[in-house]
């Protein structure tokens, strides 16, 4: 199982707001930045959020990130069909001296 | 335009070896740390290894430490992953990643190369 814990699935209807959680510990989320990735089917992952809540250029402001203690969350507002993808959280883990990912959340747009 | 192109994947028998390569273009390769991340078929992402710009620091996933070696040749804009003593559980798509940089606030991934370990 993954060091970071995400729900395996999430869903919403077009226009809705959905959130995806990511839970860790003091050695990873609690002490380091969280990153979020979007992976569309058959493609490489794409950075969606860096430094807990910052968006790279080109990422719509419908995507937002937050962090509190040893947990983080990704929010997607104004849900669109093209948001249907797998979403992963990641952080450096000081105890493991390596990067750790969440198990991924499959988002379905109903 | 930043590009990362991996090569070297293929079918290998358990216990065998394979060397993955990644060539970067569109950026100053020597200025960025690099990583390998893998994804087993139908599974999630798993970080494998990381190397600093000048090779001064290298980090590995516990399950590959001692079997895999990450290296780079900044003169050739190239990143490598030497994989020895391969196991069935190493089967995955391996992605080359230009790590996040505060300089341009971006991170870049290659398209991946498939490694299949099977007899």
């Amino acid at each position: 199982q993954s060091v970071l814990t995400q729900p395996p699935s999430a869903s919403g209807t077009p226009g809705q707001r959905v959130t995806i959680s990511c839970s860790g510990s003091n050695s990873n989320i609690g002490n380091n930045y969280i990153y979020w990735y979007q992976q569309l089917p058959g493609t490489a992952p794409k950075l969606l959020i860096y430094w807990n809540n910052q968006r790279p250029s080109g990422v719509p402001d419908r995507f937002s990130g937050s962090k509190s203690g040893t947990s983080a969350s990704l929010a997607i507002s104004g849900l669109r069909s093209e948001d249907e993808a797998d979403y992963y959280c990641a952080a450096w883990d000081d105890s493991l001296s390596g990067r750790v990912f969440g198990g991924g959340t499959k988002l379905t747009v109903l | 335009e930043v590009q990362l192109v991996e090569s070297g994947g293929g079918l290998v028998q358990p216990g065998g070896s394979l060397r993955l390569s990644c060539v970067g273009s569109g950026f100053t390769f020597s200025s960025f740390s690099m990583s390998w991340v893998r994804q087993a078929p139908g599974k999630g992402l798993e970080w494998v290894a990381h190397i600093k710009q000048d090779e001064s620091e290298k980090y590995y996933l516990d399950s590959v430490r001692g079997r895999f070696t990450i290296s780079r040749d900044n003169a050739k804009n190239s990143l490598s992953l030497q994989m020895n003593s391969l196991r069935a559980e190493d089967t995955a798509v391996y992605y080359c990643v230009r790590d996040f940089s505060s300089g341009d606030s971006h991170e870049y991934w290659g398209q991946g190369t498939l490694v299949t370990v099977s007899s």
Side-chain angles (χ1 to χ4, degrees), chain B residues 52-116:
Chain B
K52 293 290 190 187
Q53 292 89 321
D54 59 358
E55 295 194 275
S56 60
E57 295 178 41
K58 300 179 184 181
Y59 300 95
Y60 296 93
L61 177 69
D62 279 350
S63 63
V64 310
R65 188 176 294 113
R67 300 187 299 121
F68 290 11
T69 301
I70 189 172
S71 62
R72 64 191 296 163
D73 184 338
N74 287 338
K76 295 182 178 180
N77 293 345
S78 176
L79 175 73
S80 296
L81 185 68
Q82 177 65 42
M83 304 186 295
N84 299 329
S85 303
L86 283 161
R87 306 167 180 168
E89 54 264 36
D90 296 318
T91 294
V93 172
Y94 285 73
Y95 293 102
C96 167
V97 182
R98 195 204 84 173
D99 291 335
F100 177 80
S101 165
S102 58
D104 62 4
S105 298
H106 268 290
E107 180 179 289
Y108 292 94
W109 293 56
Q111 84 288 352
T113 186
L114 176 62
V115 172
T116 303

Side-chain angles (χ1 to χ4, degrees), chain B residues 20-38:
Chain B
L20 305 184
S21 295
C22 168
V23 176
S25 61
F27 64 102
T28 304
F29 188 84
S30 60
S31 297
F32 295 87
S33 62
M34 302 289 295
S35 295
W36 288 97
V37 175
R38 68 186 180 184

Side-chain angles (χ1 to χ4, degrees), chain A residues 37 39 44 50 57 88 98-99, chain B residues 39 44 47 100 105-107 110:
Chain A
Y37 297 87
Q39 186 176 31
Y50 67 93
S57 60
Y88 297 89
R99 205 166 196 218
Chain B
Q39 186 170 34
W47 169 84
F100 177 80
S105 298
H106 268 290
E107 180 179 289

Side-chain angles (χ1 to χ4, degrees), chain A residues 24-104:
Chain A
S25 66
N26 287 324
S27 64
N28 41 67
I29 296 178
N31 208 33
N32 295 290
Y33 287 125
I34 192 90
Y35 298 76
W36 288 93
Y37 297 87
Q38 177 192 59
Q39 186 176 31
L40 297 170
T43 69
K46 167 191 167 185
L47 181 65
L48 214 54
I49 297 288
Y50 67 93
W51 291 355
N52 304 332
N53 56 18
Q54 302 298 303
R55 285 184 308 276
S57 60
V59 173
D61 59 7
R62 301 186 297 105
F63 295 90
S64 62
S66 64
K67 172 183 145 176
S68 178
T70 59
S71 294
S73 62
L74 172 72
I76 309 172
S77 59
L79 200 61
R80 298 182 178 184
S81 58
E82 57 260 39
D83 297 332
E84 192 160 283
D86 293 324
Y87 292 84
Y88 297 89
C89 58
W92 185 263
D93 190 294
D94 295 329
S95 297
L96 297 174
S97 292
R99 205 166 196 218
V100 291
F101 283 92

